Amino acid sequence: MRPQTEQGVLVLADISGFTRFLSETELEHAHDILSEILQLVVGRLTPTLHLAEVEGDAVFAFAPQDRFPRGETLLELVEQTYCLFLGRVESIRLHTTCSCSACSAVPVLDLKFVIHTGEYIVQALGSGKKPMGSSVNLAHRLLKNQVQEQTGWKAYAMITESAARHLAIPTSGMHPEIERYENFEPIQTFSFDLRQRWAVLQSARRVHVGTAEADIVNTVDLPAPPEVVWDWLNDPRLRSQWFGLTNERPPGPDGRSGVGTTTHCTHGEQIKSVHTIVDWHPFEYYTEEISRPSDGRRMALNTVEIESIPEGTRLHDRYRVLMTPRLLSVPFFRMARPSQQAALGRLAQLVVPPSPPATDRQLSSG
């Protein structure tokens, strides 16, 4: 069967400083360090994205466009990948006892991303699958750009106008740039500083309801990876399908979800509760403060934590009652546990793994 054209997301993660690192260090040890870092990047981007190939100092991955009903999830995936990358680089720098030039030169390495959407065909090459087409060529061209020259950033994520539009990614506050390449029309891009984003995430206050301090604990296993489950938890359209109430989440000042974002849970036109995010760690957990809409009184903290398991994702839903007197408030809140468990049961029925590349679908149907 001939490959089919499909619309999808193209992501390139490129290690900057790679050439300098190789030229100034012992090749064998440098190769081991780079292999470890590249494997870390691959491990974080997949299986949410499909790995196309590792291209020297870059990882190329892709996914069908409908894989990201909430475009913010892709940005969060990029940010978390960068945090893991930087954490590993810092760990090598701070904790290594090796005196070789490769370990000493690790801090010259950094990471940048290109996110683009467009048409491509997926071809099976050996045991792998790789998208091909003009959009793929452009995504690779975008690795050579003006962002560092214009901003001084070494670590950044660049999003094309096409990707921002198709994935509904907010670009407010990002650095705009028009890139020009031979045989392509000028392309509008938007970029943000990953090092600055890392600093914000590192300084965030931790508010986490653990099992020992929780008044209500619900647990459910879901047949999809954490990134898919994260969408179902945080996309208001998806959340409304299983939560039992209509969810409305106005975007924050920068169009992103995070600490301070509020969700209104409504029945008809009446707001039943207001959920304000007080801690936000994508693909790990978030904590919401639940308050009463009539007077803003704090009622409970709710930490929703997810972990990867072989069958998909295990979700832990924990509540700590804040209203006093607790002798009366805790039993009252526990009366809601059956409805909470019913909602999680609906989520388990609705959530599905991400769709495979076109070639997988063709092979299974042919």
Side-chain angles (χ1 to χ4, degrees):
M1 182 180 295
R2 295 182 62 183
Q4 297 179 354
T5 300
E6 61 179 298
Q7 187 84 18
V9 180
L10 306 167
V11 177
L12 284 153
D14 180 65
I15 298 178
S16 58
F18 177 81
T19 302
R20 175 185 168 189
F21 181 74
L22 285 183
S23 65
E24 297 180 0
T25 61
E26 298 89 349
L27 183 60
E28 183 176 343
H29 203 171
H31 177 269
D32 291 342
I33 291 174
L34 288 167
S35 294
E36 177 186 348
I37 291 174
L38 284 168
Q39 194 58 49
L40 181 149
V41 173
V42 170
R44 176 63 280 191
L45 292 178
T46 58
T48 310
L49 296 161
H50 305 291
L51 177 65
E53 62 181 341
V54 176
E55 306 167 339
D57 58 346
V59 174
F60 176 33
F62 68 104
Q65 189 166 297
D66 62 4
R67 170 61 196 83
F68 294 98
R70 174 181 170 273
E72 278 187 74
T73 298
L74 180 55
L75 295 190
E76 291 159 351
L77 179 64
V78 164
E79 290 167 353
Q80 192 189 59
T81 302
Y82 181 70
C83 289
L84 290 173
F85 164 86
L86 193 59
R88 183 59 187 134
V89 167
E90 287 293 291
S91 177
I92 293 174
R93 182 182 70 84
L94 293 172
H95 302 297
T96 185
T97 58
C98 178
S99 59
C100 77
S101 57
C103 287
S104 301
V106 161
V108 307
L109 300 176
D110 225 316
L111 193 61
K112 62 185 179 184
F113 290 83
V114 168
I115 301 172
H116 184 43
T117 56
E119 289 187 343
Y120 55 76
I121 59 172
V122 180
Q123 290 195 342
L125 299 174
S127 59
K129 305 171 186 66
K130 182 178 178 180
M132 304 182 70
S134 179
S135 296
V136 175
N137 295 338
L138 177 57
H140 282 77
R141 293 277 193 95
L142 285 164
L143 289 173
K144 304 296 183 182
N145 56 64
Q146 305 176 70
V147 174
Q148 184 172 352
E149 178 184 344
Q150 296 295 325
T151 66
W153 302 338
K154 289 202 307 178
Y156 57 87
M158 170 188 280
I159 303 153
T160 64
E161 184 176 37
S162 167
R165 182 175 65 254
H166 285 101
L167 297 171
I169 292 176
T171 58
S172 174
M174 293 188 186
H175 170 74
E177 195 76 57
I178 295 178
E179 302 290 348
R180 292 177 171 83
Y181 305 97
E182 187 177 359
N183 300 322
F184 290 97
E185 294 292 326
I187 181 166
Q188 177 72 61
T189 66
F190 304 91
S191 304
F192 65 94
D193 185 354
L194 283 172
R195 184 65 70 107
Q196 181 186 52
R197 184 63 177 165
W198 171 83
V200 170
L201 294 173
Q202 289 295 108
S203 64
R205 179 173 66 108
R206 292 265 175 170
V207 183
H208 183 272
V209 178
T211 302
E213 60 187 310
D215 296 307
I216 304 172
V217 177
N218 301 304
T219 302
V220 64
D221 289 348
L222 304 168
E227 295 79 11
V228 173
V229 173
W230 190 258
D231 268 336
W232 279 90
L233 294 172
N234 290 289
D235 185 325
R237 298 165 299 176
L238 297 177
R239 182 162 161 162
S240 295
Q241 294 182 38
W242 62 269
F243 192 72
L245 295 171
T246 301
N247 283 250
E248 299 175 353
R249 178 179 287 183
D254 61 354
R256 299 281 303 275
S257 296
V259 173
T261 300
T262 60
T263 300
H264 294 168
C265 300
T266 65
H267 180 70
E269 296 183 356
Q270 183 179 6
I271 299 176
K272 294 293 187 179
S273 59
V274 177
H275 299 236
T276 303
I277 296 172
V278 293
D279 194 357
W280 180 255
H281 287 79
F283 315 127
E284 296 178 24
Y285 76 90
Y286 64 85
T287 299
E288 296 179 323
E289 181 183 278
I290 304 172
S291 59
R292 197 161 57 188
S294 58
D295 56 8
R297 185 179 181 186
R298 299 164 70 234
M299 297 191 294
L301 288 174
N302 175 210
T303 291
V304 180
E305 187 167 0
I306 58 178
E307 62 173 310
S308 179
I309 59 174
E311 299 79 16
T313 300
R314 180 161 294 154
L315 184 152
H316 305 276
D317 185 35
R318 309 186 192 102
Y319 294 84
R320 171 69 176 173
V321 177
L322 301 177
M323 296 182 70
T324 55
R326 283 179 51 80
L327 186 64
L328 298 177
S329 298
V330 171
F332 175 77
F333 267 82
R334 284 176 175 163
M335 292 173 62
R337 191 170 185 230
S339 63
Q340 295 165 1
Q341 293 178 324
L344 293 176
R346 289 192 295 270
L347 176 60
Q349 294 176 339
L350 290 168
V351 69
V352 293
S355 55
T359 48
D360 288 348
R361 296 193 294 270
Q362 291 165 11
L363 289 172
S364 64
S365 62

